[in-house]
Amino acid sequence: MRILILYCLFPLMGLSAQTDSLLRAVHWAEDSTAHRLLLTPDGTFQLDYGPAAGQGRYLLGRYALDGDNQEITLSVDYFLGKRRIPGRYRRGQDFYLVYVLQTLTPERLVLRDVLTGEVRSFTAQPLDPEDDPARRRVDPPVDVRIKLPPGWGG
């Protein structure tokens, strides 16, 4: 009996891991804009609006897949999302964007917004280690580093 239960549950666990690792294997470039979505192994995401966005270039938050891998929820802290995310996504103090995974292949990701019905389509791009959010914080671009006056070690 125990073997039968394990036999039934094991494929479901494999499907969950496969979907999650497929989402995290690449950058997802949105087809209609210059936005790029990156989902990290630790359950965080970043949405890169591109260099033209200036200091508000990155939207950071957490993501979660539902139990049957049909929906993905992007959650963003109120203070990080208040300028970028419409108020209709706000629940309590934070923003929650819920999408149905319509298509997920190694080359393509198509999401449908549960609230508005809007469809967002993405194309896979290879991961660039320089775009890793943690790496960006450790080695900021040269133009962002603090400039020290002469004689102060700079």
Side-chain angles (χ1 to χ4, degrees):
M1 182 65 168
R2 290 180 193 166
I3 294 175
L4 180 60
I5 292 172
L6 289 176
Y7 182 73
C8 293
L9 291 178
F10 191 69
L12 295 176
M13 291 169 34
L15 180 61
S16 173
Q18 180 183 6
T19 300
D20 195 30
S21 62
L22 186 57
L23 283 169
R24 295 181 285 133
V26 294
H27 273 110
W28 295 103
E30 191 164 8
D31 297 339
S32 60
T33 65
H35 303 165
R36 290 178 15 158
L37 178 65
L38 174 66
L39 303 165
T40 62
D42 62 356
T44 62
F45 79 90
Q46 82 170 11
L47 185 59
D48 182 354
Y49 288 98
Q55 289 193 357
R57 177 175 179 173
Y58 298 101
L59 180 66
L60 305 172
R62 298 197 56 80
Y63 76 93
L65 289 168
D66 69 344
D68 57 355
N69 294 321
Q70 297 299 311
E71 290 184 351
I72 184 169
T73 302
L74 305 179
S75 58
V76 179
D77 179 77
Y78 171 76
F79 293 104
L80 292 175
K82 66 182 178 180
R83 291 199 175 119
R84 291 259 185 213
I85 302 174
R88 65 179 168 258
Y89 294 103
R90 187 172 172 196
R91 277 190 276 148
Q93 192 65 19
D94 298 321
F95 296 98
Y96 297 92
L97 295 89
V98 181
Y99 295 99
V100 172
L101 291 166
Q102 287 190 319
T103 304
L104 178 60
T105 67
E107 301 84 25
R108 197 97 178 112
L109 171 65
V110 178
L111 303 173
R112 183 178 50 81
D113 188 322
V114 170
L115 197 58
T116 64
E118 176 187 349
V119 175
R120 297 177 72 181
S121 56
F122 299 83
T123 303
Q125 293 183 336
L127 281 177
D128 183 0
E130 296 302 317
D131 288 338
D132 181 10
R135 179 113 182 119
R136 193 175 60 247
R137 289 184 197 95
V138 172
D139 295 325
V142 175
D143 60 337
V144 176
R145 295 183 184 171
I146 297 173
K147 308 243 188 293
L148 296 174
W152 287 70

